């Protein structure tokens, strides 16, 4: 249960206090609201659209139907198209797929980092190279 001040603030932001917020234990309720307010609803380095898409990708990857629905609606409010929503979920799936391969095969992390850095350097050099006319 949130404090009276947090309760009023949630109603101002959302038009109501969602029932699930009432299930957050007292020691964490106001803090949890603050995290949600500041990171999800607040002005940050990421746009509302970007935050919605990131949230959707994570929600899909962890298989949370609640978060998937919420972040899909959040992204739609910020004008993300259905194609962008689908691509976000596919990118998340791709990340989870390769993470499973890397972890399952116990790929050496230091070697992975070194190879990734080499790939980034190569791509940067290719982008900086003058185009052949």
């Amino acid at each position: 249960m949130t404090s009276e001040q947090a309760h009023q603030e949630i109603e101002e932001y959302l038009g109501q206090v969602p029932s699930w917020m009432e299930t957050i234990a007292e020691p964490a309720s106001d803090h949890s609201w603050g995290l949600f307010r500041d990171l999800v609803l607040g002005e940050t380095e990421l746009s509302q659209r970007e935050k919605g898409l990131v949230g959707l990708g994570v929600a899909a990857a962890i298989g949370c139907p609640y978060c998937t629905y919420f972040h899909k609606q959040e992204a739609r409010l910020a004008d993300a198209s259905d194609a962008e929503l689908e691509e976000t979920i596919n990118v998340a799936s791709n990340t989870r797929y390769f993470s499973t391969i890397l972890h399952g095969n116990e790929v050496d992390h230091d070697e992975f980092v070194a190879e990734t850095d080499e790939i980034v350097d190569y791509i940067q050099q290719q982008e900086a190279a003058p185009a052949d006319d």
Side-chain angles (χ1 to χ4, degrees):
M1 180 63 116
T2 58
S3 68
E4 184 59 36
Q5 179 182 350
H7 191 91
Q8 290 175 355
E9 190 174 275
I10 294 167
E11 283 185 347
E12 288 174 26
Y13 273 84
L14 305 178
Q16 63 177 287
V17 178
S19 60
W20 64 267
M21 284 189 169
E22 297 290 348
T23 67
I24 300 171
E26 180 62 39
S29 59
D30 284 4
H31 177 72
S32 296
W33 162 246
L35 288 171
F36 183 85
R37 177 197 62 220
D38 296 344
L39 288 173
V40 176
L41 304 175
E43 188 174 320
T44 66
E45 295 298 320
L46 296 176
S47 69
Q48 287 303 123
R49 187 176 164 283
E50 291 166 332
K51 288 190 273 189
L53 293 173
V54 168
L56 175 59
V58 172
I62 65 172
C64 179
Y66 305 98
C67 296
T68 298
Y69 183 81
F70 176 85
H71 290 294
K72 195 176 276 189
Q73 299 312 313
E74 176 188 18
R76 284 184 172 137
L77 278 172
D79 296 325
S81 68
D82 285 343
E84 290 169 320
L85 299 176
E86 290 170 4
E87 184 174 338
T88 296
I89 293 166
N90 279 269
V91 169
S93 169
N94 189 50
T95 300
R96 187 166 186 147
Y97 170 80
F98 284 106
S99 177
T100 302
I101 290 171
L102 293 165
H103 280 120
N105 290 306
E106 297 177 327
V107 169
D108 182 86
H109 184 263
D110 292 335
E111 183 178 0
F112 177 84
V113 168
E115 290 172 347
T116 299
D117 289 346
E118 289 171 6
I119 291 166
V120 169
D121 288 344
Y122 175 80
I123 292 171
Q124 288 175 330
Q125 289 173 9
Q126 296 303 306
E127 290 174 349
D132 292 334
D133 293 320

